[in-house]
Amino acid sequence: MNQHIQQFKADFFKALAHPMRIRILEVLSEGEKNVNELQSILGSEGSAVSQQLAVLRNKNVVHSVKEGTSVIYSLRDPLIKDLLSVTKQIFDNHLVDAISLLEDIRKEP
């Protein structure tokens, strides 16, 4: 595989490697939002949200447009929504495996 693609993937996943950034992307999957809306939905202070948005913006994961005094954020690529969905499915699969393992352990004498 091309080294540039591998580096892109590594950088991309580093940009996603924070729970608040994932939550921001989940919210933006539902539609564009400004910082105040994100703060309200996330229940977090503005500086924390702005800091995480800066990381996502610098890695080209989100897109921002200034409208008056507000900055509106959206997903740069709609496939990010699909990626989040696939990640949830992988989590569910791991959970099913863990539950099966626990059930097997409980059956042991």
Side-chain angles (χ1 to χ4, degrees):
M1 188 179 298
N2 186 322
Q3 186 174 0
H4 295 290
I5 293 172
Q6 291 171 339
Q7 188 61 52
F8 171 83
K9 288 178 182 180
D11 291 341
F12 180 79
F13 284 114
K14 282 180 198 173
L16 303 183
H18 191 283
M20 184 180 287
R21 291 194 289 260
I22 296 295
R23 184 67 185 118
I24 288 169
L25 295 175
E26 289 171 341
V27 170
L28 292 177
S29 291
E30 299 166 7
E32 59 185 29
K33 303 278 186 278
N34 65 37
V35 176
N36 291 333
E37 291 171 319
L38 287 168
Q39 277 178 241
S40 177
I41 293 167
L42 298 171
S44 186
E45 61 185 52
S47 62
V49 172
S50 293
Q51 183 181 29
Q52 300 309 325
L53 282 167
V55 172
L56 293 169
R57 196 174 49 247
N58 289 337
K59 294 295 183 177
N60 293 316
V61 179
V62 297
H63 179 70
S64 62
V65 175
K66 189 158 175 83
E67 289 186 7
T69 59
S70 294
V71 178
I72 308 297
Y73 288 90
S74 60
L75 296 179
R76 189 163 200 70
D77 189 321
L79 287 174
I80 291 170
K81 186 175 181 175
D82 295 337
L83 176 65
L84 294 171
S85 176
V86 168
T87 304
K88 168 87 170 61
Q89 291 171 4
I90 292 169
F91 172 81
D92 290 348
N93 292 342
H94 283 275
L95 192 57
V96 167
D97 290 344
I99 289 170
S100 295
L101 180 61
L102 284 173
E103 289 172 348
D104 289 347
I105 290 171
R106 286 185 182 159
K107 291 177 186 176
E108 291 180 4

